[in-house]
Amino acid sequence: MSDSKKSVETRYLEERQSLMTGLQHLDRRSFLKVSTGAMAAAVAAGASNHFHSFLPINVAYAGEGPAGPGFTFAYISDSHLYIKKNNERFVRQLLRAVDDVNKLDPQPDFVFYGGDLAQLGRKEELDLGAQILKSVKAPLHMMVGEHDWFYDLGHHWNELFGPENYSFDHKGVHFVVLMSVHEKDFWTARGMDPAERMHTVAGLDNAMQSAFEVGAPQRDWLKKDLANISTSTPIIVFSHSPLYKLYRPWNFWTDDAEDVQSILKPYDHVTVLHGHTHQVLTNRIGNIQFHGMLSTAWPWPYAPQGLPALTVQMNRPNPFDSNDGLGDGTVTVHPDGLVDKLYNLWNRNPMQVKASYLSSGGKNDVPAAPTLASY
């Protein structure tokens, strides 16, 4: 039967099946075909009515200093993949983010994944995410989230992606990747199996679990890692949970945040980028500037208290639009190590939060206020 004679529902189901079949053999060559099928399926379902191009990236290259131009990297975060038969939408949304980043011209220096690739930490979920991320054109750096970790305490994550904390240097900037979602053992005394432990940690407001922390061993590692770094060297830290205390009942919180901030205090320019909260968040504490990452899975509402004063809140997402309030983005690193963060909100206009906004305490380059009520 020709496509012109098929119903919309039949075409959508066929495209959806093609997507899932293609994922089993996804590589660079097949990615474009598969992701195009994903977008067609989303359009047929009415899920993408306000697609925004990610081309504002060229604006970010305007910042140059006496040391020459900075550089840009892209980010994707919080995809929360289930196994394919349980949830196709999150798969399509990760494919869309990868496609966004691959279309950037010029390409970013690297792509950073901000954690929570999986939803329940299962091998099948992590393998699916790893296979999709193979199609990223630029070099890829990974960070673990609690949803990736607490089923097998990181065993399969480490097999796929290596150590959960590490550092690297790039064009004069020292990057640190922390595992900030350690928890004290609440499961052994309760006789929990891995699935029960994972479901407990996956609950946003499950009071049974402990607070997230970087932990003493990793703080010692951080001190040693920075021991030979000049205080004038720009530092960018990636942390899945925010390295400040936002809202404890939802575990938007890192228990030893002040201890980590103290280790970073001697350095002139420090930026922390975090995932986990699924929203635009902007904060500054002393010498440290903080930015939250968007999610490709779903948006969280803002917490009822503790919201940093510098945050220009996201618009209220449309609950009938599965892409609203979601996105990916880029980070432009200036020669001094401070960053401009471009949020590519998929069904809203892009939003840029500049380093000058934070450095001035919110007086300069204030991001545009939302046109709709925040949430």
Side-chain angles (χ1 to χ4, degrees), residues 74-143:
Y75 71 83
I76 304 170
S77 192
D78 289 84
S79 299
H80 292 271
L81 299 178
Y82 290 87
I83 59 174
K84 288 180 290 186
K85 68 179 182 180
N86 286 353
N87 189 304
E88 300 173 15
R89 179 166 63 87
F90 292 177
V91 172
R92 291 198 303 267
Q93 289 166 182
L94 178 55
L95 282 165
R96 174 177 178 170
V98 172
D99 198 22
D100 271 353
V101 170
N102 281 346
K103 288 179 179 177
L104 292 176
D105 184 16
Q107 275 285 287
D109 282 24
F110 61 87
V111 176
F112 188 80
Y113 191 86
D116 283 351
L117 181 61
Q119 171 63 10
L120 296 173
R122 302 303 177 95
K123 179 180 184 299
E124 297 83 359
E125 297 170 349
L126 290 168
D127 286 344
L128 174 59
Q131 192 163 0
I132 294 172
L133 291 174
K134 281 182 181 179
S135 294
V136 172
K137 292 179 181 179
L140 179 68
H141 294 283
M142 299 292 294
M143 178 170 66

Side-chain angles (χ1 to χ4, degrees), residues 120 122 150-152 192-202:
L120 296 173
R122 302 303 177 95
F150 279 94
Y151 181 75
D152 64 0
M192 289 183 168
D193 63 26
E196 291 170 327
R197 175 177 60 209
M198 182 69 257
H199 278 279
T200 300
V201 175

Side-chain angles (χ1 to χ4, degrees), residues 331-360:
V331 176
T332 297
V333 183
H334 295 288
D336 62 3
L338 297 181
V339 312
D340 294 344
K341 194 157 190 292
L342 182 68
Y343 292 95
N344 178 41
L345 287 152
W346 285 345
N347 291 329
R348 304 284 181 183
N349 289 325
M351 175 182 178
Q352 189 169 50
V353 181
K354 293 187 175 182
S356 53
Y357 170 67
L358 282 88
S359 298
S360 66

Side-chain angles (χ1 to χ4, degrees), residues 10-299:
T10 298
R11 292 200 302 272
Y12 169 66
L13 288 172
E14 289 177 351
E15 288 160 351
R16 183 175 66 176
Q17 183 58 45
S18 174
L19 167 68
M20 293 304 150
T21 301
L23 282 172
Q24 298 173 8
H25 307 288
L26 193 65
D27 55 23
R28 289 180 185 271
R29 181 172 295 178
S30 64
F31 173 77
L32 184 58
K33 179 180 179 181
V34 175
S35 60
T36 301
M39 183 56 65
V43 171
S48 181
N49 297 321
H50 306 284
F51 180 78
H52 283 280
S53 168
F54 199 10
L55 295 181
I57 181 66
N58 57 5
V59 175
Y61 278 98
E64 297 189 6
F71 61 92
T72 298
F73 63 89
Y75 71 83
I76 304 170
S77 192
D78 289 84
S79 299
H80 292 271
L81 299 178
Y82 290 87
I83 59 174
K84 288 180 290 186
K85 68 179 182 180
N86 286 353
N87 189 304
E88 300 173 15
R89 179 166 63 87
F90 292 177
V91 172
R92 291 198 303 267
Q93 289 166 182
L94 178 55
L95 282 165
R96 174 177 178 170
V98 172
D99 198 22
D100 271 353
V101 170
N102 281 346
K103 288 179 179 177
L104 292 176
D105 184 16
Q107 275 285 287
D109 282 24
F110 61 87
V111 176
F112 188 80
Y113 191 86
D116 283 351
L117 181 61
Q119 171 63 10
L120 296 173
R122 302 303 177 95
K123 179 180 184 299
E124 297 83 359
E125 297 170 349
L126 290 168
D127 286 344
L128 174 59
Q131 192 163 0
I132 294 172
L133 291 174
K134 281 182 181 179
S135 294
V136 172
K137 292 179 181 179
L140 179 68
H141 294 283
M142 299 292 294
M143 178 170 66
V144 72
E146 78 277 12
H147 287 262
D148 307 314
W149 188 263
F150 279 94
Y151 181 75
D152 64 0
L153 298 181
H155 177 73
H156 194 56
W157 176 276
N158 294 146
E159 287 184 338
L160 286 173
F161 304 117
E164 64 272 19
N165 62 286
Y166 58 96
S167 64
F168 62 96
D169 296 291
H170 184 76
K171 294 185 177 179
V173 178
H174 187 66
F175 288 87
V176 176
V177 181
L178 293 178
M179 198 298 196
S180 65
V181 292
H182 287 293
E183 294 199 19
K184 292 182 172 63
D185 186 345
F186 62 82
W187 52 87
T188 300
R190 293 182 171 91
M192 289 183 168
D193 63 26
E196 291 170 327
R197 175 177 60 209
M198 182 69 257
H199 278 279
T200 300
V201 175
L204 178 66
D205 56 355
N206 192 318
M208 185 184 301
Q209 63 180 306
S210 71
F212 293 142
E213 62 181 14
V214 171
Q218 197 174 188
R219 294 199 307 270
D220 289 342
W221 172 86
L222 179 60
K223 291 175 185 176
K224 293 175 182 176
D225 180 75
L226 298 178
N228 296 319
I229 301 295
S230 166
T231 56
S232 62
T233 299
I235 295 174
I236 294 180
V237 179
F238 295 110
S239 163
H240 185 65
S241 60
L243 288 181
Y244 57 93
K245 293 176 176 177
L246 176 55
Y247 190 60
R248 176 64 182 86
W250 292 354
N251 230 350
F252 285 8
W253 188 275
T254 304
D255 226 25
D256 54 355
E258 293 91 347
D259 295 325
V260 180
Q261 293 168 19
S262 179
I263 296 170
L264 299 170
K265 187 175 182 178
Y267 297 88
D268 297 337
H269 297 295
V270 180
T271 298
V272 175
L273 302 177
H274 66 84
H276 185 58
T277 54
H278 299 202
Q279 58 199 202
V280 175
L281 274 174
T282 307
N283 195 10
R284 179 183 171 188
I285 299 175
N287 64 315
I288 307 175
Q289 299 188 2
F290 301 85
H291 300 266
M293 296 184 188
L294 296 173
S295 167
T296 70
W298 67 79

